Amino acid sequence: MITQYKLAIIGFGNVGQGLAKILSDKYTFLKEKFGVDIRIVAVCDLNKGSIADRNGIDPTKLLKHIELNGDLKNFSDINTDWNAEETIGNSGADILVELTYTNLETAEPALTHVKLAMNNGMHISMTNKGPVALFFPELKKIANKNKVQIGIEGTVMSGTPALSIASEMLLPAGITKIQGILNGTTNYMLGEMEAGADYESALKQAQDLGYAEANPAGDVDGHDAAAKVVILGNLLMDLALSLSDVDCTGISKLSPDDIKQATANNKRWKLIGNVEKTQSGYIAFVKPQMLSYEHPLAAISGATNAITYSTELLGDITLIGPGAGRMETGYAIIEDILSIHKNK
C-alpha cells in the first residue's frame, strides 16, 4: 500500500534544495521500498517567491529553474503571490517542512508557521532549532490536541540520526548523560588552531569554507550548541530546560598558549555540550574542555559532529556523523517523514 505525503516547504535555501535533490534522485526508491509517495506541492521563500500545485511539483525542474534563474519567479503557471501563512492554509499539504532561519530569541517566524500548520492538521518536519529549543513542550501539546506529529531530527547533528537512535533504541537503557561536539564550525576552528593558526585566521578559513556565517557569534559563542543541549535534555531526559539554564562559554578566549598547553599534555581542546542528571537535578553546559587523546570525542576532526550517550545498561555509545550540509540536512527531512509514516 502506497501512502502519499504532500509537502509545503517554507524557506528554500540550501536545505530545501538538498531535500528537492534527494526527492529527484530517490523518489521511486522511497515509494517502492517504504511505501511513501512524497511530493512537493508548494514552496514559499521570502526572497525567491512562491509556487504551488496540488498535483506535485517536479523537483528536477524546480532545481534546474533555481540554478538558471536564482528564484522561483516565472517558474510556470503555478506561481502564486502567497506568503508563508497563505501557503500553509491553501496548499493542501499534509506536512509542513519549516526551513526558515533560526531565531533563538523569539523563534519567529518559524513558531507562527508550525503552530498554524498543526492547527490546520498538518504534521511538521523542521530543522529550525528556535521553536524546538524555546517552545517544544507547548508545541507537543498542540500536536497532541490536533493528532499530528513533529519531526525534529535535523535540529541536532543534521541528518545523522542522533535523536531517533536515542529516543527509539537507547531510552530503555537509561540515558544518564549526554555530551558531544555539536557545532562543526568551532570544531573545525579548534583543529586549525591546534595546527598553528590563530583564532582570527581560523575563523576566516571557516567563513571562506562556508562553515561560519558572516556574523559567527551563534557558533563561536556557543549559542548554537546550547540550543542543541536544551533539545537533547528536554527530549531524552524529560527535563524542562531553557537556554538560560545552560552555562555557556565559547571559544573566542582560547589563546595560542592554551592550545600549546593542551598539546604538551597529550590533550586537545573541544567545545563540548553536556547535559546530565544529578541527585539534585541536572548539569547543563557548553564550554571548551581539554580532552585526552584517548577520549572518544578527541579524535573528531573538521566540521564533523559526534555525541556520546552514557547509559545505565550499555555504558557509553558514541555516534559520529555530519552536523551540517545541504544534502545531509535535507536527508533529515526524509527521516522525519519516514518516522511520521511509521507512527501514523
Side-chain angles (χ1 to χ4, degrees):
M1 179 178 175
I2 305 296
T3 303
Q4 188 177 94
Y5 293 98
K6 297 181 176 182
L7 312 184
I9 303 174
I10 307 299
F12 201 61
N14 280 334
V15 177
Q17 291 172 45
L19 171 61
K21 175 62 174 170
I22 293 169
L23 292 177
S24 175
D25 294 343
K26 299 290 186 180
Y27 171 82
T28 301
F29 173 77
L30 291 166
K31 187 175 180 179
E32 294 177 350
K33 186 71 174 178
F34 297 97
V36 290
D37 176 0
I38 304 173
R39 302 188 181 194
I40 299 171
V41 298
V43 179
C44 179
D45 185 280
L46 187 62
N47 298 314
K48 296 182 178 69
S50 61
I51 56 176
D53 184 341
R54 290 192 175 214
N55 294 318
I57 300 164
D58 185 328
T60 305
K61 292 180 180 178
L62 177 59
L63 290 172
K64 188 66 175 178
H65 184 85
I66 286 285
E67 181 184 352
L68 292 175
N69 300 280
D71 58 37
L72 298 171
K73 297 165 188 173
N74 303 314
F75 177 71
S76 70
D77 57 359
I78 64 172
N79 282 87
T80 75
D81 58 359
W82 294 346
N83 61 26
E85 288 81 3
E86 290 168 328
T87 298
I88 292 166
N90 299 333
S91 64
D94 309 300
I95 300 175
L96 173 68
V97 180
E98 217 303 325
L99 304 175
T100 60
Y101 63 90
T102 294
N103 179 339
L104 291 177
E105 294 182 359
T106 67
E108 295 292 359
L111 182 64
T112 293
H113 298 163
V114 297
K115 284 183 175 181
L116 176 61
M118 288 191 293
N119 284 324
N120 281 4
M122 296 168 66
H123 302 293
I124 303 295
S125 173
M126 60 179 151
T127 64
N128 193 314
K129 294 179 290 294
V132 188
L134 300 180
F135 296 102
F136 192 62
E138 178 185 352
L139 295 180
K140 283 296 291 182
K141 289 180 182 178
I142 297 172
N144 292 337
K145 176 184 174 184
N146 291 282
K147 296 181 172 58
V148 296
Q149 300 177 55
I150 304 175
I152 60 170
E153 188 63 66
T155 61
V156 177
M157 285 184 67
S158 183
T160 304
L163 298 182
S164 58
I165 285 177
S167 60
E168 295 176 18
M169 301 296 177
L170 295 182
L171 275 184
I175 298 174
T176 58
K177 178 180 177 179
I178 305 168
Q179 63 175 330
I181 296 169
L182 304 175
N183 182 271
T185 301
T186 50
N187 198 57
Y188 171 82
M189 290 176 60
L190 289 171
E192 292 301 302
M193 291 167 70
E194 185 178 337
D198 59 27
Y199 173 84
E200 294 299 334
S201 298
L203 175 56
K204 186 178 186 307
Q205 290 178 51
Q207 290 172 322
D208 290 344
L209 289 169
Y211 298 150
E213 301 289 343
N215 180 358
D219 292 322
V220 298
D221 292 341
H223 303 308
D224 173 73
K228 295 168 185 175
V229 166
V230 169
I231 293 167
L232 290 164
N234 292 349
L235 182 67
L236 302 176
M237 292 181 166
D238 291 325
L239 300 175
L241 297 177
S242 65
L243 282 172
S244 61
D245 296 320
V246 182
D247 183 15
C248 190
T249 303
I251 67 169
S252 60
K253 299 294 177 62
L254 286 178
S255 69
D257 286 341
D258 293 326
I259 303 295
K260 291 176 182 177
Q261 179 188 1
T263 303
N265 288 282
N266 295 320
K267 296 181 178 181
R268 55 172 49 105
W269 288 98
K270 296 292 181 183
L271 185 67
I272 298 297
N274 181 95
V275 58
E276 59 186 293
K277 291 182 178 179
T278 66
Q279 290 184 339
S280 58
Y282 64 86
I283 297 172
F285 64 77
V286 173
K287 65 182 179 182
Q289 290 188 318
M290 282 195 294
L291 304 182
S292 68
Y293 289 160
E294 291 75 26
H295 194 286
L297 297 180
I300 307 304
S301 62
T304 302
N305 281 193
I307 194 166
T308 297
Y309 296 104
S310 297
T311 70
E312 296 170 351
L313 299 182
L314 297 175
D316 288 351
I317 305 290
T318 299
L319 183 65
I320 302 168
R326 169 178 170 161
M327 298 291 286
E328 294 87 346
T329 311
Y331 181 69
I333 307 300
I334 300 297
E335 294 177 279
D336 284 343
I337 295 169
L338 293 177
S339 178
I340 289 168
H341 178 64
K342 185 176 81 169
N343 296 320
K344 193 173 179 180

